[in-house]
Amino acid sequence: MTHPPDRADLRRRAAVVARHAVQRLLPMALGTALSLAVVRWHGAAVWGAWVAALLVWQLTAHVVGWGNKDDVLRRLSRDGAEPGPTLRAHAWLRLRALAPVAGAVMLAVGVAADWPFELLGLAAAWLVLRVLSQSFEALVLHEQGFLRGAAADALATLVPLLGVLAAGPSSGAGALTRELLGGLFVAGELLRLLTLVGLFPAARQRATGPGPATGGRAGRGGAALATVSTLRAGLPFFLVGAAGLLGSRVDLYCVAALLPDAEVARYQVLVNALLWLQSVAGFTLTPFARDLYRLDYPALLRLLARFSGLGVLVGVAGSAGLTALVRLAYHLPMSAALSVLGAAYVAQMFVHVPAIFMLYKADRERDVLRMSVGILVVNGALNLAAIPVWGVEGALAASALTGWGAAGLYVRAARRVGRGADPQPTPGAR
């Protein structure tokens, strides 16, 4: 029999959620301050040009990460692997096997986009530092060291913010360049890495037994087999993460490719704020995932209905407030259409999250992956069609429409599971 949690347990859970929220929101707040300082002092075009380059950097880092966080977290939590040797072995594997290829593609994109030589060098340096620092993500979760992680993440954003503030308002065209911003981001990433190394002693511990099977000392044949095995283990996590990342960012990629830098800045500022509102759905439910998995399907369907109503309230109120804030703080034009579309864009996520929990409960991870890929493809196609005609309004409309279409499919699948159409998980669904 499952007993309800006592007050001490509830306080402990609330504290964990609060620390996790600090880690997520503090860097986001500093990033908002950074974009505000650049836009107000140096113009939207400067920020838009930098965002177009940063998107390429971040996407490349995700490829090199290759499911590292979830794969390593599983090894630490389920298999009892030693943190230090495991983190170092997996970071070295990704640097050796993935970084050269992904880095070469990133530099080729940079050359095609006419990045100057300095920015190409900064991109390569940032990628190496980012691979090393993101290898700590699993350890942060394993130790629930969210405040230590928040300190490192905040410092990484604080460095470019302080650099821009020190430079002050632009006294002429070109006073703040992509190269200067790139250098500040490299310095921030270096400080993040050093801070993580200092705050997480477990990452520096030496091995007390046989090392992780990543092939570092097994000869060429053994190393190749171990590398393939490790990358194969991380593949499902990479695919789900990549589909989610691209699905939530494909509109911004299309905007960066098709619209002027000033419009890129306007859309990036707005959509980042709307994504923060979407994250409220995850902040609210994810910490209680264990309890959700224990609920029966009728209770989860009732939760889905109530949570969808909450999403409408958060979307309408939040989008109206955010578009007004962007207009007043950034002095960027925000139409009434963007406010309405923003509300629809936010609300659909409150349908996705509980429905996805229901599918995970029924061992339907592959259904979620297929839907994520479908969202990516449809959203990209609609954006490419809508942006040349309606600009940023078209991008947000395409993303909101795709999200609500996916929400309908998620609800249909969740109801099938909940009403007994698929009462048992399909063998091999994982």
Side-chain angles (χ1 to χ4, degrees):
M1 178 176 180
T2 302
H3 298 282
D6 57 22
R7 290 184 178 180
D9 190 40
L10 289 175
R11 285 195 295 269
R12 182 189 63 80
R13 294 184 186 184
V16 171
V17 173
R19 293 195 297 270
H20 189 208
V22 169
Q23 186 192 14
R24 295 289 300 273
L25 296 180
L26 181 57
M28 190 178 297
L30 292 173
T32 299
L34 172 62
S35 65
L36 178 59
V38 174
V39 170
R40 288 293 298 274
W41 286 355
H42 303 277
V46 174
W47 183 247
W50 165 244
V51 166
L54 183 61
L55 287 173
V56 178
W57 292 21
Q58 292 173 335
L59 183 58
T60 307
H62 180 77
V63 172
V64 179
W66 196 267
N68 177 77
K69 179 181 71 174
D70 297 288
D71 185 21
V72 173
L73 180 62
R74 180 172 60 183
R75 293 173 187 269
L76 298 181
S77 302
R78 186 192 67 186
D79 304 334
E82 295 181 284
T86 303
L87 262 65
R88 292 192 298 271
H90 282 75
W92 169 239
L93 181 148
R94 284 163 173 80
L95 281 174
R96 184 183 71 243
L98 297 174
V101 177
V105 173
M106 178 178 66
L107 295 180
V109 172
V111 171
D114 292 326
W115 292 358
F117 178 78
E118 296 86 348
L119 191 60
L120 294 172
L122 290 169
W126 182 90
L127 178 61
V128 173
L129 292 171
R130 184 67 189 133
V131 171
L132 295 174
S133 62
Q134 72 183 2
S135 67
F136 282 81
E137 292 175 352
L139 187 57
V140 172
L141 286 172
H142 181 66
E143 297 187 358
Q144 293 188 340
F146 299 124
L147 293 183
R148 288 175 286 164
D153 294 342
L155 287 173
T157 310
L158 191 61
V159 169
L161 174 59
L162 292 177
V164 171
L165 293 178
S170 177
S171 57
L176 184 67
T177 63
R178 287 184 304 178
E179 293 72 39
L180 177 56
L181 284 169
L184 291 171
F185 269 73
V186 170
E189 200 60 42
L190 176 60
L191 184 57
R192 187 208 306 263
L193 175 60
L194 295 176
T195 303
L196 289 169
V197 171
L199 293 180
F200 288 90
R204 306 192 301 271
Q205 292 176 352
R206 295 180 178 274
T208 59
T214 58
R217 299 177 181 176
R220 291 186 178 181
L225 290 175
T227 297
V228 171
S229 175
T230 302
L231 295 180
R232 182 182 299 166
L235 179 61
F237 301 119
F238 168 74
L239 291 176
V240 172
L245 173 69
L246 293 174
S248 66
R249 287 297 189 182
V250 66
D251 51 346
L252 186 53
Y253 296 143
C254 293
V255 167
L258 298 174
L259 294 181
D261 290 337
E263 289 293 272
V264 174
R266 185 161 74 105
Y267 190 73
Q268 189 265 352
V269 167
L270 175 61
V271 81
N272 269 13
L274 295 175
L275 286 172
W276 180 85
L277 282 179
Q278 283 190 352
S279 71
V280 173
F283 286 153
T284 305
L285 288 186
T286 302
F288 307 104
R290 182 178 62 184
D291 299 322
L292 293 176
Y293 283 129
R294 293 174 178 173
L295 293 177
D296 57 24
Y297 288 112
L300 286 171
L301 284 172
R302 291 193 296 271
L303 174 65
L304 173 60
R306 293 169 183 169
F307 214 61
S308 301
L310 175 63
V312 173
L313 293 176
V314 172
V316 171
S319 179
L322 286 177
T323 51
L325 179 64
V326 171
R327 187 185 304 114
L328 295 174
Y330 286 84
H331 293 178
L332 294 174
M334 288 288 146
S335 63
L338 285 175
S339 182
V340 173
L341 292 169
Y345 180 77
V346 170
Q348 49 93 15
M349 188 55 62
F350 286 75
V351 182
H352 286 217
V353 172
I356 288 172
F357 269 116
M358 290 188 68
L359 294 177
Y360 280 167
K361 178 181 171 69
D363 286 347
R364 299 293 182 182
E365 294 94 335
R366 289 186 178 180
D367 291 347
V368 176
L369 177 58
R370 282 193 291 267
M371 295 241 195
S372 298
V373 173
I375 291 171
L376 168 62
V377 174
V378 173
N379 198 15
L382 289 179
N383 268 272
L384 291 175
I387 290 174
V389 181
W390 294 293
V392 294
E393 284 82 1
L396 195 56
S399 297
L401 180 62
T402 303
W404 275 107
L409 294 175
Y410 275 129
V411 169
R412 180 187 176 192
R415 284 181 172 176
R416 286 192 64 200
V417 170
R419 292 176 177 174
D422 274 326
Q424 298 296 328
T426 301
R430 290 184 183 276

